[in-house]
Amino acid sequence: MDKTLPDLATAVAGISDGMTVMIGGFGGSGAPIELIHALIDRFIATGHPCELTVVNNNAGNGHVGLAALIEAGMVKKLICSFPRSADPVVFTEAYLAGKITLELVPQGTLAERIRAGGAGIPAFYTPTSYGTDLAKGKPVEVFDGRPYVQERWLKADFAIVKAHLGDRLGNLTYRMAARNFNPLMCMAAATTIVQVSKIVEPGEIDPESVITPGIFVQGVVQVENPAQEEVLNRAKAVYPEVSA
Amino acid sequence: MTAKLSPTQMAWRAAQDIDDGAYVNLGIGFPEMVAKFQPPGREAIFHTENGILGFGEAPAPGTEDWDLINAGKKAVTLKPGTAFFHHADSFAMVRGGHLDVAILGAYEVAENGDLANWSTGPKGVPAVGGAMDLVHGAKRVAVITDHVTKDGKPKLLKACSLPLTGVGCVTRVYSSLAVIDIEGGRFVLREKMPSLSVEDLQAMTGAELHITAPVADLIVPEL
């Protein structure tokens, strides 16, 4: 078994028009910037993929990563909890112009819907959002005297996430708070592609330290010294760079 | 002009009610400052939605590690005993009732404990983050807020006019003028600025203030 992939273009080759794609990260931490940019490269070269539904906690920041994917016009719908950031202009303009639709989900509900998708649980009940606009149209049930809102699982065709170490079997570790949604998204997608800072030999990751077991991962590509969204934004980076 | 507490002073006052050993989530913005004012001898553990328990203060500029941030996407630091976890575990801590206190900001609070703090109406881009989860998970949900809006309208009301974050969830309000508990569907005044009469405070409050015990002076150091 060898899940390693030779390059970023190969890693994102299976994503096609109209797919639902979970993109890891919370803000910039855990965001697979290089995989996202490889997807944009393919769109610029071929016109595909487009009409994507993207699941992420946020809606991008600045003009790189998820914001650049939206700016390229590849996203028709975003499922997220918090579409604001230091520089949310790309999403905000697309949303207010009606070019992208938004499904707003409370953050814990978003995490649990993704977890449920990965765990084969089609629906669950939560007190979150009861009595609010975000519960409209959803079934409510009373358990032990308290009302709960039914939420459905969330699954995806692809997940693209960033991890720290990975091996050819797909076992992963994460770096600090860059873990966030990523282990959940690995479980919830039919195909999960992971960029890791370093590919190591099986056994080099202590089994006690594996965060995502390889069964949830289909592809691993190495990106040494991955870009951080915050650093790119402080440098006012734009993707794709305008060539002279 | 009525003398009122600054956001920093409201955060200080809220911090005085956090017990040793408490697990606490602080909302983005003003509530984040509560962590700076823990009384000596008490150790609370701070939780952030993106998967850290027990993080420390902001790092020196230029030394940020952007894999180590809080829910407001601000850089934080490690402390001995810090734990990392993924988002489903993070919100199991919230919704499973394991957090002792959540302190949030507010647009409006109603006398029955309803909170509105995520949407100012249909215009613009809505964003909710973890607020709707926090208000149903923590054992105690407190709010830090100016007592009135920028144009002088009450924020403590009989009923919220803005979209709700949660129903009947707030138990204490630290306002810029008073400390008010929500008990049995009513506002109970606990502390007020000494320079303010109860009548003055009532005039700036959109629902009746009840007094069930002597009202203490709200005294906060200059910060």
Side-chain angles (χ1 to χ4, degrees), chain A residues 26-27 29 58 81-84 91-92 95 102 104-109 111-112 115 126-134 146 175-181 184 228 230-231 234, chain B residues 28 49-52 64-73 78 84-88 91 95 107 118-119 124-130 132-134 136-137 163-167:
Chain A
F26 180 92
S29 62
N58 302 100
S81 89
F82 202 79
R84 290 190 201 136
F91 174 79
T92 302
Y95 177 74
L102 171 67
L104 193 70
V105 182
Q107 197 173 131
T109 296
E112 193 64 16
R115 197 195 74 82
T126 174
T128 300
S129 91
Y130 173 74
T132 76
D133 290 351
L134 298 189
R146 195 175 167 192
R175 220 182 141 258
M176 300 197 278
R179 188 180 308 184
N180 54 68
F181 284 90
L184 312 175
Q228 286 281 24
E230 290 78 3
V231 175
R234 284 178 180 213
Chain B
I28 295 173
E49 290 94 312
N50 56 313
I52 318 176
E64 298 93 348
D65 183 327
W66 296 108
D67 285 341
L68 189 57
I69 58 174
N70 65 14
K73 321 271 186 334
L78 291 172
F84 296 122
F85 36 87
H86 61 58
H87 249 83
F91 280 86
R95 304 202 286 200
Y107 298 142
W118 71 280
S119 169
V125 179
V128 66
M132 284 191 185
D133 305 282
L134 285 164
H136 288 296
L164 293 184
T165 306
V167 175

Side-chain angles (χ1 to χ4, degrees), chain A:
Chain A
M1 181 182 285
D2 185 1
K3 297 180 182 179
T4 60
L5 300 166
D7 54 58
L8 289 160
T10 309
V12 299
I15 299 175
S16 53
D17 294 358
M19 281 188 169
T20 295
V21 182
M22 291 179 176
I23 299 182
F26 180 92
S29 62
I33 298 288
E34 285 78 5
L35 282 171
I36 298 169
H37 289 174
L39 208 51
I40 295 171
D41 290 347
R42 217 183 101 211
F43 177 74
I44 289 169
T46 68
H48 305 284
C50 59
E51 299 283 303
L52 299 173
T53 294
V54 168
V55 183
N56 181 269
N57 185 63
N58 302 100
N61 190 8
H63 299 271
V64 297
L66 175 54
L69 195 75
I70 295 168
E71 198 160 32
M74 299 166 67
V75 183
K76 70 168 181 193
K77 180 180 178 182
L78 189 70
I79 301 175
C80 82
S81 89
F82 202 79
R84 290 190 201 136
S85 65
D87 178 9
V89 63
V90 169
F91 174 79
T92 302
E93 285 184 358
Y95 177 74
L96 296 178
K99 290 177 183 165
I100 189 166
T101 58
L102 171 67
E103 179 180 340
L104 193 70
V105 182
Q107 197 173 131
T109 296
L110 182 63
E112 193 64 16
R113 287 179 66 191
I114 298 168
R115 197 195 74 82
I121 297 168
F124 60 93
Y125 285 89
T126 174
T128 300
S129 91
Y130 173 74
T132 76
D133 290 351
L134 298 189
K136 278 182 183 161
K138 293 174 182 169
V140 169
E141 263 203 69
V142 174
F143 296 96
D144 300 330
R146 195 175 167 192
Y148 294 83
V149 177
Q150 188 194 83
E151 294 284 355
R152 297 292 311 276
W153 62 8
L154 198 50
K155 298 199 277 190
D157 300 298
F158 266 81
I160 52 174
V161 308
K162 180 165 83 172
H164 183 46
L165 301 179
D167 62 26
R168 66 173 171 78
L169 304 174
N171 296 307
L172 305 175
T173 68
Y174 300 86
R175 220 182 141 258
M176 300 197 278
R179 188 180 308 184
N180 54 68
F181 284 90
N182 296 9
L184 312 175
M185 290 180 170
C186 287
M187 299 195 298
T191 303
T192 292
I193 304 295
V194 185
Q195 64 168 79
V196 298
S197 298
K198 192 178 180 197
I199 292 175
V200 298
E201 289 300 316
E204 284 189 52
I205 301 173
D206 180 347
E208 297 279 11
S209 303
V210 172
I211 306 296
T212 294
I215 190 170
F216 298 126
V217 173
Q218 282 68 46
V220 180
V221 60
Q222 179 169 298
V223 178
E224 284 180 77
N225 304 313
Q228 286 281 24
E229 188 178 273
E230 290 78 3
V231 175
L232 295 175
N233 282 338
R234 284 178 180 213
K236 305 212 178 300
V238 174
Y239 196 86
E241 292 157 56
V242 183
S243 51

